[in-house]
Amino acid sequence: MNTRSDFSMKLKAILHDPIDKPFDIQGHKRRAREYAQALGVEWEDIKGPDWISSCMERSLISEGIIQEFDEIRHPFAESLIRDNFLRFKNEVFEVIKDITDDMGNVLPKEDDKKFLYIWRNYQEKLIKGSNGCEWKKYISLFPADTRVPDHSIWEHAKVTSAINALWDDENKNLLQNNSLFLFSIGPVQTFISQARKTQDLYMGSFLLSYLTFVAIEKIIEDYGPTNIIYPDLYKQPLADWWLEKKKIDVINSQSVYVDQPTIPNRFVAFVPQSDEAELRHLGEEISRKVREEWGQIVFKTMEGLNITCPEDKVEKQIKRFPEIYWVALPLKIGDRDIAIEDLGEIFESTEKYRDIWQFAVDNGEYSPNLGLLYQIIYSSLEKLIGARKNLRNFEYTEEYNKKCHLCGEKEGWIKAGHGKLRVGRYIGDNEVLCTCCFVKRTMDSYLKDKFKDISPNPFEGYSFPSTAEIAISDFKVMCLDKSIDDFKAYVETFKKIVGEARTKELTVKPLPRIINKYGDFDNLEGEWFFEENLTPRQFKKQAGASPEAEQINELKEKLRNIGEKVGIPNPYYAVIAIDADSIGKWLSGSKLPDIENAYNSSVWQNLPDHFKANLKDKAPRKLLTPAIHASISAALRNYTIEFVRRIVEEEHLGKLVYAGWR
């Protein structure tokens, strides 16, 4: 079944408006045509997708209002930026024309690759090409409509390119064929929390994030990344990695951060079909891809450690993970668009949505269309996925013998001695794990190969610091500064006791801040710098070694020598957990600011009092839109990569376990 989008049409859609539209509304179509031609695209006034996308964002505006570009509104807050932006107009036009002309010379020839290049790099090129320009900081915020400046031209272009629609001029009819699709995998809390090591916590989170992206790949391969409403894929590390696999040059690529689990365990997408059989096929194909990738992770990881797999046991344990749920809501019923009345059984009342629709009919600049229903459609989708999850998939299974030490649910069968598995980083002396928990801990070998084309590969020589390593980090810094020779002598003595190969298994990558200052080095795991751990039992349990008492005493003596110079290591560490409340409410729109915050301040002030009073009665808060979903996702991505990681790992002796949303 070939459902791949026509990327020549998607190119026309994403370029239907010029990026500098707010600086001169009257001439924007002429400039859009010039820019499209410079990029090798035949410009077309894309009415169908544009009208639906516009209705999502700015349908509650009265006719005849004109507003110059003097304000930018925050998409989901009350804040704003006010400036005389038109003073930049000539320079903006000049820079954008030059950058667009230059980009036209380096674009791939194939329509799909050209689309991907423009989507990912156009904004980056403009930012880079506007160095020294005062308006550079506003490029990503240029509004699509100066009267309702709370959504960017970039978001409008993205959503327009995602919608499958056309305007039938002969019959004066807006035709569309779309569905809203929601996919979710889990379990989240239980899977991540089943951990004994910090590495278990991290890998549990990463695995869910990675498998969700595997599901996303089917959508972006067939329809393009703009069809994913959230998470916003722009500058997502895994998305940049995917682009690079397709030989797309990515400016300011974030793929080096693929080890950061920034993709949530769910996604929402527009898909250009509404037939039930096609949607079912899509959902099943995506689910199959996820399960196949999970199977590959399991068997490749086992194979790498030469662990013989009793296939019946492995299959039984891995087929229950992950839990996959998806729902699709067709936006077309027969030959007509879905209507509010069609969703009546999902809600106790749809009166507020009917009132908003009627307000738009009576007062709007244009007649409303399907786009105005985005909030109720998305809310319906959330209710449907909730109902689907309540019908839990249940499959009777029997688990005998000793339970896994990590999850306590499945039979534990993997222990030290199987294949190449030895006591050390992956498993303890008496530890027994089930298939899922073991692979969760050891899948870094698979990821190293998966991301082998990234330089530097974040999973090359991968290890995740233990709590002991975090606690000892300041002690190691002092050793490297004041007692480097004693520090090296201690590690060499340790090697003589357990052997070179075993020591290598007990080394971990230094914390990022330490690497940045001192470079990489053979970093013996932190627990071996606490004297109380230098016991025969601990050597046996963690290193599989049986040293003589004299050897242990020699090691203790060297550790004390270091302590006399830099102090005794502190065993304490801090765990910082910051939780953003009500993400679900933000995504549903119930936490959005008052409706007036969508409008330019002057526009709102000049609207008739009866219009404003009636609007605030019908829609007291801003309406939920794809741009708001994208903005929330982008804010969380930026928070994770550009702020939290930098603060925790570059400015302090810490390691980020997880940052994002679930």
Side-chain angles (χ1 to χ4, degrees):
M1 184 183 298
N2 183 16
T3 58
R4 188 172 168 82
S5 289
D6 180 353
F7 279 86
S8 67
M9 292 303 299
K10 293 180 80 71
L11 277 166
K12 294 177 181 180
I14 204 169
L15 296 172
H16 78 282
D17 275 340
I19 298 307
D20 53 24
K21 179 180 178 180
F23 291 89
D24 179 16
I25 303 295
Q26 289 185 336
H28 82 277
K29 290 188 178 181
R30 172 185 55 78
R31 297 195 310 283
R33 185 187 301 274
E34 292 174 358
Y35 296 156
Q37 289 175 346
L39 297 173
V41 177
E42 183 181 351
W43 184 83
E44 186 177 323
D45 192 4
I46 301 291
K47 293 180 178 178
D50 182 27
W51 289 356
I52 293 176
S53 177
S54 297
C55 195
M56 289 177 179
E57 306 288 354
R58 48 187 186 269
S59 55
L60 304 179
I61 188 79
S62 57
E63 188 176 1
I65 294 178
I66 298 174
Q67 176 60 47
E68 290 188 340
F69 182 21
D70 65 358
E71 198 169 278
I72 298 172
R73 282 279 190 178
H74 195 287
F76 50 93
E78 297 179 0
S79 54
L80 57 84
I81 301 170
R82 187 177 289 118
D83 200 342
N84 175 23
F85 296 103
L86 293 182
R87 62 194 169 97
F88 306 127
K89 182 170 75 170
N90 292 334
E91 187 178 40
V92 168
F93 287 169
E94 181 181 348
V95 170
I96 290 181
K97 183 181 185 305
D98 289 345
I99 295 299
T100 305
D101 288 344
D102 289 344
M103 192 165 75
N105 297 323
V106 298
L107 283 176
K109 295 188 181 302
E110 303 93 332
D111 286 339
D112 56 346
K113 291 187 175 181
K114 183 181 292 187
F115 177 84
L116 295 173
Y117 188 96
I118 290 172
W119 166 73
R120 179 57 181 86
N121 291 323
Y122 201 2
Q123 186 179 135
E124 291 287 341
K125 278 185 170 289
L126 290 177
I127 291 172
K128 185 177 180 180
S130 59
N131 281 336
C133 299
E134 187 179 346
W135 47 272
K136 173 182 177 178
K137 58 188 175 185
Y138 302 124
I139 289 175
S140 65
L141 306 175
F142 286 172
D145 191 314
T146 54
R147 303 166 301 173
V148 189
D150 68 335
H151 60 287
S152 76
I153 191 71
W154 303 97
E155 286 305 320
H156 174 63
K158 167 191 164 183
V159 175
T160 300
S161 72
I163 295 172
N164 178 30
L166 63 88
W167 170 249
D168 179 2
D169 196 50
E170 181 178 348
N171 298 302
K172 307 301 179 187
N173 194 15
L174 179 57
L175 305 175
Q176 62 84 25
N177 187 26
N178 298 275
S179 295
L180 202 60
F181 183 89
L182 192 159
F183 182 93
S184 171
I185 69 172
V188 177
Q189 299 299 333
T190 54
F191 184 71
I192 294 176
S193 64
Q194 289 168 346
R196 301 180 82 183
K197 296 172 175 279
T198 52
Q199 179 166 323
D200 299 333
L201 283 171
Y202 165 76
M203 275 299 185
S205 183
F206 181 86
L207 181 57
L208 290 172
S209 184
Y210 172 71
L211 289 178
T212 304
F213 186 77
V214 171
I216 286 173
E217 278 189 288
K218 168 61 180 174
I219 299 292
I220 62 179
E221 186 70 42
D222 287 356
Y223 314 128
T226 60
N227 278 63
I228 302 294
I229 301 304
Y230 78 77
D232 180 28
L233 294 183
Y234 180 67
K235 295 181 76 172
Q236 285 282 3
L238 283 167
D240 282 358
W241 166 71
W242 177 81
L243 288 170
E244 289 165 352
K245 283 199 304 177
K246 297 182 74 65
K247 308 302 181 184
I248 304 292
D249 290 332
V250 178
I251 299 173
N252 190 23
S253 174
Q254 303 295 299
S255 62
V256 70
Y257 301 124
V258 291
D259 59 328
Q260 301 293 322
T262 59
I263 300 290
N265 70 310
R266 60 193 345 243
F267 70 86
V268 172
F270 278 118
V271 294
Q273 56 212 43
S274 57
D275 179 75
E276 181 179 345
E278 291 180 348
L279 292 171
R280 186 177 299 279
H281 177 80
L282 176 65
E284 291 173 351
E285 185 174 357
I286 293 174
S287 301
R288 178 181 55 78
K289 280 176 60 69
V290 171
R291 296 198 184 283
E292 285 179 353
E293 181 65 15
W294 170 231
Q296 281 291 306
I297 293 172
V298 170
F299 288 104
K300 290 287 186 181
T301 300
M302 297 286 195
E303 186 181 80
L305 290 168
N306 200 26
I307 295 177
T308 303
C309 306
E311 288 194 15
D312 56 337
K313 185 177 296 185
V314 172
E315 289 287 352
K316 182 175 70 173
Q317 292 189 343
I318 70 172
K319 72 179 180 180
R320 285 180 278 162
F321 175 85
E323 296 174 3
I324 296 177
Y325 301 97
W326 63 268
V327 292
L329 184 58
L331 308 186
K332 180 182 176 184
I333 300 176
D335 294 329
R336 66 173 178 83
D337 292 346
I338 195 171
I340 295 172
E341 293 71 24
D342 298 314
L343 304 172
E345 293 184 0
I346 300 176
F347 299 90
E348 292 183 6
S349 173
T350 58
E351 182 179 359
K352 69 174 183 178
Y353 298 107
R354 294 198 304 271
D355 287 347
I356 292 171
W357 182 274
Q358 191 58 50
F359 178 89
V361 169
D362 296 338
N363 301 280
E365 182 178 23
Y366 302 105
S367 297
N369 59 49
L370 179 74
L372 184 58
L373 302 184
Y374 181 79
Q375 182 160 346
I376 188 174
I377 290 170
Y378 173 77
S379 299
S380 299
L381 203 66
E382 286 288 1
K383 286 182 177 292
L384 290 172
I385 195 73
R388 174 63 187 88
K389 287 183 177 180
N390 285 335
L391 298 173
R392 292 286 182 182
N393 299 328
F394 177 77
E395 184 174 347
Y396 177 75
T397 181
E398 295 179 340
E399 295 280 358
Y400 301 103
N401 302 322
K402 190 174 182 178
K403 292 292 187 287
C404 169
H405 287 175
L406 209 57
C407 68
E409 297 172 357
K410 304 179 188 72
E411 178 185 345
W413 66 275
I414 302 174
K415 58 185 178 180
H418 281 195
K420 300 177 184 177
L421 189 60
R422 299 290 181 267
V423 172
R425 178 158 59 98
Y426 287 145
I427 202 153
D429 183 33
N430 296 312
E431 198 172 27
V432 182
L433 301 178
C434 69
T435 308
C436 293
C437 291
F438 177 75
V439 172
K440 178 170 70 172
R441 180 178 291 178
T442 59
M443 62 181 282
D444 57 280
S445 59
Y446 177 85
L447 297 174
K448 173 186 173 182
D449 183 64
K450 193 73 177 180
F451 298 112
K452 61 185 176 183
D453 294 330
I454 296 176
S455 181
N457 185 340
F459 292 101
E460 182 75 43
Y462 167 84
S463 62
F464 200 88
S466 66
T467 53
E469 179 65 18
I470 297 293
I472 206 78
S473 59
D474 57 342
F475 173 80
K476 287 186 175 180
V477 167
M478 290 186 287
C479 288
L480 294 170
D481 279 341
K482 301 177 181 179
S483 188
I484 183 66
D485 292 336
D486 292 326
F487 180 79
K488 290 180 177 179
Y490 179 83
V491 174
E492 287 301 317
T493 303
F494 188 92
K495 285 181 182 179
K496 291 177 183 178
I497 294 174
V498 304
E500 186 102 23
R502 301 294 293 148
T503 301
K504 188 174 182 180
E505 292 182 14
L506 297 171
T507 59
V508 295
K509 189 180 286 288
L511 293 180
R513 182 173 169 82
I514 294 178
I515 290 180
N516 291 342
K517 184 175 181 179
Y518 303 98
D520 202 354
F521 56 91
D522 290 337
N523 182 41
L524 184 62
E525 222 288 331
E527 69 172 312
W528 299 107
F529 290 88
F530 292 104
E531 187 171 334
E532 59 267 30
N533 289 334
L534 303 180
T535 65
R537 182 176 180 276
Q538 196 70 1
F539 271 99
K540 175 67 175 173
K541 180 180 178 182
Q542 297 296 342
S546 301
E548 300 292 335
E550 293 80 3
Q551 292 177 301
I552 293 178
N553 289 334
E554 180 185 1
L555 199 60
K556 288 181 178 180
E557 185 61 31
K558 290 186 180 296
L559 185 60
R560 289 172 189 146
N561 290 338
I562 297 174
E564 290 176 0
K565 296 179 181 179
V566 302
I568 299 173
N570 190 327
Y572 296 103
Y573 62 93
V575 176
I576 300 175
I578 301 176
D579 183 30
D581 291 332
S582 306
I583 290 294
K585 291 182 178 179
W586 279 104
L587 291 172
S588 71
S590 62
K591 296 283 285 185
L592 293 176
D594 293 343
I595 187 69
E596 64 190 76
N597 293 286
Y599 295 84
N600 177 283
S601 302
S602 298
V603 169
W604 180 258
Q605 183 177 352
N606 293 326
L607 285 170
D609 289 341
H610 70 276
F611 180 98
K612 291 188 285 189
N614 196 11
L615 174 59
K616 292 175 76 172
D617 179 59
K618 302 294 187 294
R621 294 184 183 275
K622 290 177 63 173
L623 299 185
L624 181 66
T625 67
I628 288 172
H629 274 157
S631 297
I632 293 172
S633 174
L636 289 168
R637 178 202 64 219
N638 294 340
Y639 172 76
T640 299
I641 295 176
E642 298 182 22
F643 294 98
V644 178
R645 186 195 59 80
R646 173 173 54 80
I647 293 170
V648 172
E649 297 187 353
E650 295 180 15
E651 298 179 7
H652 295 85
L653 291 169
K655 182 65 178 176
L656 187 62
V657 178
Y658 169 71
W661 54 295
R662 289 280 177 250

